[in-house]
Amino acid sequence: MFAAASEEFSIKLAELNELRHKDKNTFSQQLLLLSQDTTLTDLNEQQRNKLRLLQAWDLVLSGRFKQAIDIVDELEKQDNLSIQLSATSLKVNIHTLTSKYTEAFNGVERLLSALHFVDDEKLFYQIIGQVILLYNKIEHYAGVPPLIKHGLTITKDPNLLCRLQTLALPNHYHTLGYAEYETKFTEVIRLCDNAQELVFNLVTIRHHMFYLLEQQQPTAALEWYQQFVGQVTQLNYPLLTAGFKAAAAEAFLQQGELVSAAKLALAAEQHLPTDQHDPAVLATYRVLYRLAQAQENFQTLQYYAEKRLETELTIAREKASQQLAFQLANSETRLREQRIQLLDKDNELLTLERDLYQQQAEKRYLFLIFICSLSLILAAVTYRSLTRSQRFRRLAEFDQLTGISNRHHFYQHANIAAKYCEQNRRPLSVVVFDLDYFKKINDSYGHAMGDWALQQVVASCRNFMRTSDIFGRVGGEEFAIVLPDCRADKAEMLAEICRDAIANIDTSQMSNTFTLTASFGISEAAQVGYDISALLDAADKALYKAKDNGRNQVWCSD
């Protein structure tokens, strides 16, 4: 009797897991009722973990990410591989939704490395579903087809086939011609309709309406809206409601029907998702901005202009953050692969040497052994001399803490760059910056924390520099950048980017949380001349103006 009750509970958990894909509200209600069941003390460990996982999903669907992360962290420590991978895939989803892309890619790496152990089709979809959603969001479409192809080989379930093909549609839109994409879209709609996957069907149509608007086909977009708006209204899913109304509003605007556009845009604004990367957000503010402009309502125009600009800037910053996290993850993966290859080669070399020594011992070629030994000794001595020379040279030219040029090496290369620019009549700019109140960080938290801050500042700024730029540490917390072929306005843009990157350095993981800022001064050869000392002096004076005016800002030399 107990076994039958346990099996019945497992079936309920499986049904709830499927329900969360189709009806969020019903899923939450039934999960609450199941969680309040007084017989939960009789559950086995796997059932308790699956219930906890569904509770974490419910928290994510309601936007309570912090509580969900606490549950997921606990589930990742369980011995069951299926529970571990499910928890990690949910964590990737949370980090994607909260724009923590570095953490998301760390989770993706763990999921992909364990993928060949997974033979359960639903677990496989749950894993790659989160990976593909992340890839689509950062526009890494090349990574999607192999995952979809593998998924199609291990499942024939109509519902999973619908969901897999739905995930592949953004890749088709961005890599195929529009006619080919539309054929794929029609196939997916038919597939999901046969599988009765209403939510996936409507999500697919929602994205398709925005694609139609990009193709300047407002009439086609409105036809889809009118056909399915009743189902969207009945389902009452805010993400779908906002998307359908925003797309229809923009379609009406493209057709010049301002009244209908205004009505739908205002309705969409009531349901906008918190993710500003969602196309419904920008579309809604774009429509309301255009309507206020047409009506010459300047107060409303200013409000929606600010909303539109804020959304566009958020999207731009998020894209930069996505690409940086993706490149860092790729670099770490390549570095790890190279280390493995080096270890394999070392093992091969050791095996070859062992075989060689065995053959020499057997055949008693003492002279050959002597020659080989001498060659190895000479090679080792030569290699040691070369590495020692390279180490001494690096010690002499580069700052040991940050890895960039030290003062002496910086001045050498800066003078060479200045001479080249002067001879070829090319522009040249210099940026000098130092950290605000850095002594307070050292005094309050210790020099180890100060060293960490300097390393983070250099790492953040180097991401935005060209290979031709000369970056050096010229003082304790003072840095300088020489920018060949760069005028003052471009140098100011770089300085602003670096200033913003420094101000956004995350110190929350450290034992003491503090804020880093820096002040920047800029000079240009067109004003000062090509003498590096003069350029640095002018930039330094501009730096002090930035400090006098409140710090954490960029100041150009007069």
Side-chain angles (χ1 to χ4, degrees), residues 77-102:
K77 300 174 184 176
Q78 301 300 315
D79 294 332
N80 187 293
L81 179 62
S82 174
I83 293 295
Q84 289 178 8
L85 294 178
S86 298
T88 302
S89 68
L90 177 53
K91 182 180 280 189
V92 169
N93 179 270
I94 294 171
H95 289 322
T96 301
L97 291 173
T98 54
S99 302
K100 295 181 179 179
Y101 295 105
T102 300

Side-chain angles (χ1 to χ4, degrees), residues 172-239:
H172 295 323
Y173 177 74
H174 290 92
T175 58
L176 301 177
Y178 187 77
E180 296 175 275
Y181 153 77
E182 200 161 29
T183 302
K184 294 282 188 183
F185 165 75
T186 304
E187 293 173 0
V188 174
I189 287 295
R190 188 182 302 113
L191 182 64
C192 291
D193 192 43
N194 292 335
Q196 297 183 346
E197 284 281 4
L198 178 60
V199 173
F200 278 84
N201 219 347
L202 293 175
V203 169
T204 302
I205 294 167
R206 174 189 191 273
H207 289 309
H208 183 63
M209 289 169 65
F210 285 109
Y211 294 154
L212 287 170
L213 293 173
E214 288 183 22
Q215 299 294 323
Q216 299 297 309
Q217 298 183 40
T219 303
L222 287 172
E223 288 174 358
W224 285 105
Y225 171 76
Q226 290 160 357
Q227 183 177 352
F228 289 96
V229 66
Q231 295 182 25
V232 171
T233 303
Q234 184 177 3
L235 194 60
N236 194 25
Y237 199 153
L239 183 71

Side-chain angles (χ1 to χ4, degrees), residues 260-364:
S260 298
K263 181 180 178 181
L264 286 171
L266 290 170
E269 190 180 18
Q270 304 303 313
H271 302 279
L272 288 180
T274 56
D275 180 10
Q276 290 187 293
H277 199 273
D278 190 287
V281 179
L282 185 57
T284 299
Y285 291 140
R286 185 167 53 231
V287 170
L288 292 172
Y289 169 78
R290 293 281 301 279
L291 290 170
Q293 193 176 39
Q295 296 167 357
E296 297 184 356
N297 186 335
F298 296 110
Q299 184 175 358
T300 306
L301 178 65
Q302 181 181 2
Y303 174 76
Y304 285 115
E306 291 174 355
K307 284 288 187 181
R308 178 181 175 182
L309 179 60
E310 178 187 348
T311 303
E312 290 173 343
L313 288 174
T314 300
I315 292 172
R317 290 195 193 101
E318 190 168 338
K319 283 188 175 181
S321 176
Q322 292 167 357
Q323 295 305 315
L324 177 59
F326 180 64
Q327 294 302 327
L328 286 174
N330 274 352
S331 299
E332 290 177 3
T333 302
R334 286 196 297 270
L335 182 60
R336 195 174 296 108
E337 290 173 352
Q338 289 171 358
R339 287 174 178 169
I340 293 172
Q341 290 173 1
L342 286 173
L343 288 172
D344 290 340
K345 289 181 179 179
D346 285 344
N347 289 332
E348 291 176 10
L349 181 60
L350 289 171
T351 302
L352 290 172
E353 288 177 352
R354 182 195 61 194
D355 293 342
L356 176 62
Y357 286 137
Q358 287 176 348
Q359 291 174 9
Q360 290 170 343
E362 290 171 2
K363 296 180 180 179
R364 300 178 183 277

Side-chain angles (χ1 to χ4, degrees), residues 42-109:
D42 298 329
L43 299 182
N44 59 43
E45 184 178 3
Q46 185 174 6
Q47 289 173 330
R48 279 196 297 271
N49 288 335
K50 287 184 176 181
L51 179 61
R52 293 287 286 159
L53 189 64
L54 289 174
Q55 289 169 342
W57 269 110
D58 188 40
L59 290 169
V60 170
L61 292 173
S62 61
R64 291 177 286 174
F65 301 119
K66 177 64 174 65
Q67 297 96 314
I69 281 287
D70 293 338
I71 296 176
V72 168
D73 286 339
E74 178 187 335
L75 293 175
E76 279 190 315
K77 300 174 184 176
Q78 301 300 315
D79 294 332
N80 187 293
L81 179 62
S82 174
I83 293 295
Q84 289 178 8
L85 294 178
S86 298
T88 302
S89 68
L90 177 53
K91 182 180 280 189
V92 169
N93 179 270
I94 294 171
H95 289 322
T96 301
L97 291 173
T98 54
S99 302
K100 295 181 179 179
Y101 295 105
T102 300
E103 293 86 343
F105 281 115
N106 290 336
V108 165
E109 185 178 350

Side-chain angles (χ1 to χ4, degrees), residues 246-475:
E250 189 158 4
F252 276 125
L253 186 67
Q254 288 185 14
Q255 291 184 336
E257 299 182 35
L258 301 185
V259 175
S260 298
K263 181 180 178 181
L264 286 171
L266 290 170
E269 190 180 18
Q270 304 303 313
H271 302 279
L272 288 180
T274 56
D275 180 10
Q276 290 187 293
H277 199 273
D278 190 287
V281 179
L282 185 57
T284 299
Y285 291 140
R286 185 167 53 231
V287 170
L288 292 172
Y289 169 78
R290 293 281 301 279
L291 290 170
Q293 193 176 39
Q295 296 167 357
E296 297 184 356
N297 186 335
F298 296 110
Q299 184 175 358
T300 306
L301 178 65
Q302 181 181 2
Y303 174 76
Y304 285 115
E306 291 174 355
K307 284 288 187 181
R308 178 181 175 182
L309 179 60
E310 178 187 348
T311 303
E312 290 173 343
L313 288 174
T314 300
I315 292 172
R317 290 195 193 101
E318 190 168 338
K319 283 188 175 181
S321 176
Q322 292 167 357
Q323 295 305 315
L324 177 59
F326 180 64
Q327 294 302 327
L328 286 174
N330 274 352
S331 299
E332 290 177 3
T333 302
R334 286 196 297 270
L335 182 60
R336 195 174 296 108
E337 290 173 352
Q338 289 171 358
R339 287 174 178 169
I340 293 172
Q341 290 173 1
L342 286 173
L343 288 172
D344 290 340
K345 289 181 179 179
D346 285 344
N347 289 332
E348 291 176 10
L349 181 60
L350 289 171
T351 302
L352 290 172
E353 288 177 352
R354 182 195 61 194
D355 293 342
L356 176 62
Y357 286 137
Q358 287 176 348
Q359 291 174 9
Q360 290 170 343
E362 290 171 2
K363 296 180 180 179
R364 300 178 183 277
Y365 287 153
L366 298 178
F367 180 73
L368 184 59
I369 293 174
F370 171 75
I371 295 297
C372 289
S373 300
L374 182 61
S375 299
L376 288 172
I377 292 170
L378 290 173
V381 171
T382 303
Y383 174 75
R384 187 173 180 182
S385 299
L386 287 172
T387 54
R388 183 178 295 174
S389 175
Q390 290 174 350
R391 186 169 69 252
F392 286 155
R393 180 179 176 185
R394 183 164 186 84
L395 286 170
E397 293 181 349
F398 293 94
D399 177 54
Q400 297 306 298
L401 177 63
T402 61
I404 60 176
S405 296
N406 60 22
R407 184 182 183 89
H408 175 71
H409 188 244
F410 170 80
Y411 271 93
Q412 280 186 326
H413 283 262
N415 281 311
I416 292 171
K419 186 175 180 181
Y420 169 81
C421 290
E422 183 177 17
Q423 289 175 346
N424 293 276
R425 297 182 179 179
R426 306 299 300 169
L428 178 71
S429 295
V430 168
V431 176
V432 172
F433 71 95
D434 72 2
L435 303 185
D436 300 328
Y437 304 115
F438 184 71
K439 184 177 183 301
K440 182 178 179 181
I441 294 174
N442 274 335
D443 293 344
S444 300
Y445 309 119
H447 288 279
M449 191 70 74
D451 289 347
W452 176 88
L454 292 172
Q455 291 169 339
Q456 295 302 307
V457 167
V458 169
S460 297
C461 293
R462 289 180 85 169
N463 291 326
F464 309 104
M465 293 184 195
R466 306 168 299 176
T467 54
S468 60
D469 296 340
I470 303 163
F471 189 18
R473 183 182 179 190
V474 296

